[in-house]
Amino acid sequence: MIDGATTLARRLERYRAALPTVLPPAAIDAPAETGPARDLAARLAAAVDGEVVVTAEGRIVRCEMPARPLPVDRVRLATLPGQPPPDVPLVCLDTETTGLATAAGTAAFLVGLGWWEDGDRYRQVQLMLPDHGEERALLTAIETAIPHDAWLVTYNGRGFDWPLLTTRFRLARRAAPVHAGHLDLLPVVRRLFRHRMADARLRTAEAELLGLHRVGDVEGWEIPGRYHEFLRGGSAGPLADVARHNDQDVRSLAWLLAHLADRYGDATERVEAPPGDLAGLARSFAREHRLGEALECLEAAADRPIARTVVPTPSAAVAAQRPDDVPWWSPLRPADFGGRQLASSVAATPQGAALAAPWTTERIAVDRAHMLRRLGRHADAADAWAALAAGPGRVGVVAAIELAKIREHRLRDRPGALDAVVRGLDAVERRRRLGRPEPALEADLARRATRLRRRIGPRMDDRAPRTA
């Protein structure tokens, strides 16, 4: 009879025999000179006109184009809300990934980086992953390229690119690169320009703001499939289009910064911007409690008519690199199918409609009235609300309520507040006759009328509010 110790020893011997051969540490650290990894890296480098970089952690493919002049007025840019200080380095970053999620199963196989050297010269580098087993080398290269005092500049990088890279660093049991700040241009574009854009994609922002139109660009949903096909032994040629796509994305980040600085960084020049852009910029200033600059933007927007179509004007940095004399027959010139008509005017609430809704003269006036009140200019705010209360629609009713609030609580003018309430009730009655009742607003006005009449007493002419 075989005892338990003998059985355990035999099972342990069979288990050790089944294990693969363990390489010494030196063999693990040094990448093999032959094999599939080297073949993938060489094929990828040949397709994208890059070079294979061999390190102790693995192989990556590196592509670098000559630096080009791309000036950005950092002092002007820093005057805008949410922008980085003028003296910190900027690193533009964009990734191409194996999927559209940020979970552990998705990896970045191409990381595009761009930064400024010697003042205005913009340098771009692409780091590509020839195989998943080489990811540690890619992570080290990314970490080396991001200075600790730099700001990242991305487009949807806060929600996608950087969380994905952070996940990959954590899976490798490494800390993500430290940086001083992160400027995500997607919220900036949405807040300032979404009112005149079909969507907020980077390609749309290029067309609407910079006047740039890509020709033959690869679609984002195709990119993961091209990389997976390459890993399965397919041609590396389709990844050259992916590299060009990423190169343009990183360059567009710099162009957007130049556009913001040139068109909106100076108070005397941004008054010529479309009124909707100024209104969106005013809200950005207000979020940082820079109310004086927000009011300046709103007043500049209120003084100009809102055009139905906007022709984008490229900034100087973009215009210097894009010839304007492209003939009509060239494929670089997009077909002209007519301008897109913006939605008709819509009534705004006091809090403002969603950012996706088009700006109107009325909506800008509402924001201006709120801003005057926040600045403590109550008499001016009362005049602004009085002008809105004289207009038709629901906004007129809401403006009457706001006017009554200011007159009663700030200007200590209760008779004037009651007059505003009565006019608001008259407007509610007119809307009811048109089949558009406002029960909540009517109840609010009725309560205010009752309270004001009680406080004023017999000194005020007895004007009963109209109620149904």
Side-chain angles (χ1 to χ4, degrees):
M1 184 175 179
I2 302 176
D3 59 2
T6 304
T7 303
L8 181 60
R10 290 179 178 178
R11 292 176 60 185
L12 183 59
E13 183 180 354
R14 289 195 298 267
Y15 173 74
R16 289 173 175 170
L19 289 177
T21 304
V22 180
L23 297 177
I28 296 176
D29 293 338
E33 294 299 325
T34 60
R38 180 182 181 186
D39 180 60
L40 287 173
R43 288 169 49 211
L44 182 58
V48 301
D49 193 20
E51 61 175 348
V52 179
V53 178
V54 182
T55 68
E57 294 177 307
R59 290 180 174 82
I60 60 172
V61 174
R62 187 176 186 273
C63 303
E64 181 174 359
M65 303 296 291
R68 66 192 73 195
L70 205 165
V72 176
D73 192 330
R74 293 291 305 278
V75 176
R76 275 191 174 190
L77 184 67
T79 63
L80 295 174
Q83 302 302 310
D87 56 345
V88 300
L90 302 180
V91 177
C92 299
L93 181 145
D94 185 72
T95 64
E96 308 302 333
T97 63
T98 59
L100 301 180
T102 58
T106 307
F109 69 87
L110 194 163
V111 179
L113 300 165
W115 62 92
W116 281 265
E117 291 182 345
D118 301 327
D120 295 336
R121 298 194 64 80
Y122 189 60
R123 181 181 174 187
Q124 288 183 240
V125 171
Q126 291 178 312
L127 307 173
M128 303 187 70
L129 184 66
D131 196 5
H132 289 294
E134 317 291 334
E135 188 177 29
R136 293 188 65 86
L138 177 66
L139 296 179
T140 299
I142 296 171
E143 187 174 12
T144 304
I146 300 178
H148 291 178
D149 60 341
W151 273 54
L152 297 179
V153 180
T154 61
Y155 202 85
N156 194 30
R158 284 188 179 274
F160 183 76
D161 298 82
W162 193 246
L164 173 65
L165 290 177
T166 300
T167 299
R168 303 312 302 180
F169 273 95
R170 288 176 178 172
L171 289 175
R173 297 184 179 181
R174 299 168 62 174
V178 177
H179 53 279
H182 191 156
L183 171 61
D184 191 342
L185 289 174
L186 175 59
V188 177
V189 169
R190 281 177 174 166
R191 195 169 294 123
L192 270 63
F193 311 115
R194 182 65 176 84
H195 65 98
R196 57 183 173 104
M197 294 167 53
D199 53 61
R201 294 188 304 167
L202 180 57
R203 190 184 304 182
T204 305
E206 292 172 352
E208 295 290 340
L209 305 179
L210 309 177
L212 297 173
H213 299 267
R214 301 193 190 190
V215 178
D217 189 36
V218 62
E219 295 292 339
W221 59 268
E222 300 180 64
I223 293 176
R226 294 192 179 201
Y227 183 67
H228 291 149
E229 183 63 26
F230 164 71
L231 294 182
R232 289 192 291 265
S235 171
L239 292 179
D241 295 333
V242 177
R244 284 191 291 270
H245 169 89
N246 179 266
D247 179 76
Q248 181 60 60
D249 284 351
V250 176
R251 191 176 305 115
S252 292
L253 295 176
W255 280 344
L256 283 175
L257 291 178
H259 181 76
L260 290 172
D262 291 348
R263 300 296 180 217
Y264 304 91
D266 186 79
T268 59
E269 293 189 12
R270 62 172 170 251
V271 295
E272 300 299 326
D277 296 1
L278 292 172
L281 182 59
R283 288 196 168 180
S284 297
F285 277 125
R287 288 167 64 94
E288 294 191 353
H289 302 285
R290 298 163 64 177
L291 305 183
E293 292 162 292
L295 181 61
E296 290 178 3
C297 292
L298 290 171
E299 290 183 339
D303 292 339
R304 300 182 58 200
I306 297 181
R308 295 184 63 83
T309 58
V310 178
V311 179
T313 303
S315 65
V318 177
Q321 304 183 49
R322 182 182 62 85
D324 293 327
D325 56 350
V326 179
W328 65 268
W329 45 263
S330 171
L332 296 178
R333 181 180 291 276
D336 183 7
F337 298 104
R340 182 182 71 256
Q341 298 296 321
L342 295 178
S344 59
S345 297
V346 293
T349 63
Q351 294 76 20
L355 289 178
W359 284 99
T360 64
T361 302
E362 186 178 58
R363 184 180 170 196
I364 292 173
V366 168
D367 275 22
R368 177 177 177 272
H370 278 296
M371 198 59 59
L372 287 168
R373 180 170 183 173
R374 291 181 64 181
L375 284 167
R377 296 170 54 178
H378 303 301
D380 293 335
D383 292 341
W385 286 121
L388 286 165
R394 187 174 189 270
V395 171
V397 180
V398 175
I401 295 176
E402 297 295 332
L403 177 59
K405 290 179 181 179
I406 292 181
R407 285 179 175 176
E408 179 183 3
H409 302 294
R410 300 299 180 182
L411 302 180
R412 305 302 179 185
D413 180 13
R414 289 176 179 172
L418 181 57
D419 180 72
V421 168
V422 173
R423 292 178 184 274
L425 286 169
D426 290 341
V428 167
E429 180 63 22
R430 288 194 298 270
R431 288 184 61 79
R432 190 211 315 279
R433 291 174 182 175
L434 293 174
R436 299 172 182 175
E438 300 286 354
L441 297 180
E442 184 176 6
D444 185 292
L445 288 165
R447 286 193 299 269
R448 292 180 185 278
T450 301
R451 187 185 70 252
L452 287 169
R453 282 175 48 81
R454 184 173 64 249
R455 292 183 177 180
I456 293 172
R459 293 175 296 171
M460 185 67 185
D461 182 27
D462 189 8
R463 292 184 59 185
R466 298 182 183 180
T467 57

